[in-house]
Amino acid sequence: MWSPKKQQLPNHTSNQRRYRHGRRAAMATGASCYYHPAAASGSPSSPSLSLRPSRSKVFFISSGGSSRWWMRRRRCEGMASRGSSSRARARPALFSPVVMEWQECSAEIEVEVPSSVAYQCYSERETIPQWMPFISFVKVLEDKPDLSRWTLKYAILGQDVEFSWLARNMTPTENQKIHWRSLEGLPNRGAVRFFPKSSSSCRVQLTVAYEVPEILTPVASALKPFLEGLLLNGLERFVAYAKEQYSKTLQS
């Protein structure tokens, strides 16, 4: 078996450190340790390790007739062949963005009013606190009527919470759909859909998706059924409100 000639490492602190590390590993197994520069230069004596000297340092460890190569590759600055994108993939991110949990709640109910009436009642955003229990305030911006400011204030699962947000009403589908998304504040989005059942009744479906606030993360598993109950309670109160408005319309 070929055995390399023992040579002294160049007088560089980093190379000496590698050599001492390899020698300690060899002594722990009763082996001998050599630095073999020919292997690092990719010479014919080591055809399987054709590595550039500027990128590799190789130690040869021999023990009891068996041998193995200990190799440590060193990254060079300006490795144009790999490109910056591959280097970015090779390096783990120091900080990963926290992915917040989103939940979606829904509720639906039948209303004994035409879908056009139910649609009109729900379109009047500033009246929503009258029947939605956890919404305490809604204000439509005068100069931008598609925008509105909302405030939620309620005791949720033992926590007194208050959140606010600015919402934008997206282009509605008349008598069929109202939908929105928040622009700032509590992240949320949702839609209300109206399905005619007859000329005098319809089904109202409310869907709300929101980012679980940090203060409510410990009770996130119980949050969805709790809020769906609140949405249903709000729709039940909406039924009474819509029927009252419809009755006034018939009387006028």
Side-chain angles (χ1 to χ4, degrees), residues 18-61:
R18 293 190 188 94
Y19 179 74
R20 288 197 298 269
H21 176 76
R23 185 169 185 174
R24 283 196 298 269
M27 292 175 65
T29 59
S32 56
C33 179
Y34 305 93
Y35 174 71
H36 184 42
S41 64
S43 68
S45 61
S46 57
S48 62
L49 296 173
S50 55
L51 305 172
R52 298 180 183 177
S54 61
R55 300 183 185 178
S56 307
K57 297 300 177 186
V58 180
F59 293 96
F60 179 79
I61 299 177

Side-chain angles (χ1 to χ4, degrees), residues 110-183:
E110 292 186 12
V111 191
E112 295 300 319
V113 300
S115 57
S116 58
V117 174
Y119 173 88
Q120 183 60 38
C121 289
Y122 216 110
S123 298
E124 298 169 355
R125 284 164 285 171
E126 293 187 353
T127 66
I128 290 178
Q130 296 183 28
W131 46 267
M132 187 58 75
F134 55 86
I135 300 298
S136 60
F137 175 81
V138 179
K139 178 64 177 178
V140 177
L141 276 61
E142 293 183 3
D143 55 337
K144 297 180 179 180
D146 60 323
L147 302 181
S148 53
R149 296 196 178 276
W150 297 62
T151 300
L152 178 156
K153 186 182 297 184
Y154 205 75
I156 299 178
L157 300 175
Q159 301 264 18
D160 291 327
V161 299
E162 181 175 353
F163 301 102
S164 60
W165 62 91
L166 176 67
R168 166 173 287 163
N169 268 33
M170 314 305 287
T171 303
T173 304
E174 189 175 2
N175 299 335
Q176 295 182 35
K177 180 182 177 182
I178 299 170
H179 58 128
W180 72 91
R181 63 181 178 89
S182 64
L183 301 179

Side-chain angles (χ1 to χ4, degrees), residues 201-220:
S201 65
C202 66
R203 180 166 54 92
V204 178
Q205 182 186 73
L206 171 60
T207 302
V208 179
Y210 54 91
E211 185 180 272
V212 178
E214 185 177 355
I215 190 175
L216 296 175
T217 300
V219 293

Side-chain angles (χ1 to χ4, degrees), residues 101-117:
E101 179 181 356
W102 277 73
Q103 287 187 346
E104 184 176 283
C105 299
S106 61
E108 60 181 72
I109 199 168
E110 292 186 12
V111 191
E112 295 300 319
V113 300
S115 57
S116 58
V117 174

